[in-house]
Amino acid sequence: MSIAKLCHAVETGSKKEAEDIARDLLNQNINIQETADQLTSTMQKIGDRFARLEIFLPGMMESAQTMTLAMNILGSKILESTSKGEYASKKAGKVVLGTVKGDLHEIGKNIVKLMLEANNFEVKDLGYDVDSMQFIKEAEAVGADFIAASSLMTTTMPHQKEIIDLLKDRDLRDKYKVVIGGAPTSQEWADRIGADLYCPDAGSSSKLMAALLQRK
Ligand code: B12
């Protein structure tokens, strides 16, 4: 069994096959980050096909569900090894994480959560379609270090800016590091809206966020 086969199962929305392959891959000691990266490229291809009207919403949904099933299996392994790890009780930082208002895409956000937890961050996951003010209320409630916001659509990216504007309005901007991500976002967008950090993928997020916290 190979990662390429798993990508193919996700492309075709073959759920049972994907679960079997994911379980098999676990026994092969594969690199989970690399697997997640390849699956992300597969989802990008699916999105491109959707944009070209080669597939329709149900097809995109089947693939999304298949990827979620596979990542749930692969993710359980990472978390199991982390909780038994040497540094299990030492938290790297507290993160309030969610997908912005109007946006239901959560697969990427869930992988970010997994990678952060695997690296000893404490994550409060607010889910998707999260109101900008909700990010702030939760960050205040849990004493977060980071507010991390995902956006997958050009139409919802402005809510990442809204979170920063609301923080400024309330004199809270310096209290939190605002991290943004999601396929249509970029370093340029992060600079434009005044975010503290942009991460292109889940794998880099824990390293970049830990480094940012040290500079605080
Ligand atoms: C799967 C998918 C769906 C699924 C979502 C299922 C779910 N539970 O999440 C379903 C089928 C429900 C869906 C619905 C829709 N979708 Co959609 N979808 C996609 C698709 C194919 C893949 C997204 C994905 O999961 N990628 C895999 C993950 C792992 O990648 P990722 O999210 O980029 O995350 C990685 C990094 O970006 C980063 N990251 C992500 N977030 C964050 C956050 C932080 C803080 C950090 C540090 C890092 C980080 O880490 C992740 C892992 O490395 C994309 C195509 C694409 N190019 O992205 C379209 C896409 C995003 N969808 C699109 C559209 C149009 C829609 C719909 C409007 C379709 C419709 N007509 O109804 C609806 C919108 C619903 C809504 N209101 O949100 C468009 C958006 C176009 C735009 N305006 O920008 C896209 C780009 C497809 C296209 N090319 O047209 N979609």
Side-chain angles (χ1 to χ4, degrees):
M1 293 290 184
S2 67
I3 300 175
K5 283 202 172 126
L6 180 58
C7 291
H8 185 258
V10 167
E11 260 184 278
T12 52
S14 315
K15 299 195 180 91
K16 167 86 175 55
E17 197 187 335
E19 286 182 310
D20 289 345
I21 300 171
R23 278 194 204 96
D24 219 75
L25 286 173
L26 278 186
N27 299 326
Q28 292 178 33
N29 245 343
I30 45 115
N31 181 326
I32 306 229
Q33 181 55 52
E34 192 192 315
T35 312
D37 287 348
Q38 291 196 29
L39 286 171
T40 303
S41 303
T42 300
M43 293 306 281
Q44 258 152 23
K45 269 202 279 175
I46 288 160
D48 293 345
R49 268 190 226 145
F50 173 78
R52 293 196 300 264
L53 303 178
E54 289 167 15
I55 59 162
F56 300 99
L57 195 56
M60 194 155 77
M61 219 174 254
E62 287 296 314
S63 291
Q65 287 164 356
T66 311
M67 171 152 180
T68 301
L69 289 172
M71 279 313 299
N72 284 347
I73 293 171
L74 296 170
S76 63
K77 178 84 169 187
I78 299 197
L79 294 180
E80 196 183 294
S81 52
T82 312
S83 62
K84 288 185 196 139
E86 184 182 352
Y87 303 109
S89 59
K90 199 176 150 223
K91 289 292 166 205
K94 267 192 201 170
V95 186
V96 163
L97 171 71
T99 303
V100 297
K101 184 83 192 155
D103 199 322
L104 308 181
H105 298 87
E106 62 168 346
I107 298 176
K109 185 256 311 157
N110 290 345
I111 299 178
V112 172
K113 179 184 180 197
L114 179 70
M115 291 304 169
L116 288 177
E117 287 182 339
N119 286 285
N120 287 321
F121 282 83
E122 190 178 326
V123 181
K124 173 94 197 251
D125 182 4
L126 307 182
Y128 52 80
D129 189 18
V130 181
D131 187 79
S132 299
M133 204 48 221
Q134 189 68 18
F135 280 94
I136 298 173
K137 280 189 190 146
E138 294 290 343
E140 288 282 280
V142 303
D145 301 294
F146 295 95
I147 293 178
S150 178
S151 163
L152 260 292
M153 298 196 290
T154 48
T155 46
T156 58
M157 282 164 59
H159 290 300
Q160 293 178 324
K161 178 177 184 301
E162 188 178 49
I163 295 169
I164 293 170
D165 291 344
L166 286 171
L167 284 171
K168 283 184 190 157
D169 290 348
R170 282 158 183 74
D171 270 337
L172 294 170
R173 181 62 190 94
D174 294 337
K175 205 168 165 187
Y176 304 105
K177 301 284 177 197
V178 178
V179 188
I180 63 155
T185 64
S186 61
Q187 184 61 55
E188 199 228 326
W189 172 244
D191 293 343
R192 254 172 68 192
I193 66 173
D196 297 293
L197 183 66
Y198 158 72
C199 301
D201 53 45
S204 63
S205 60
S206 61
K207 272 187 224 119
L208 294 173
M209 286 166 69
L212 186 62
L213 202 58
Q214 291 209 323
R215 289 206 299 270
K216 201 172 173 177

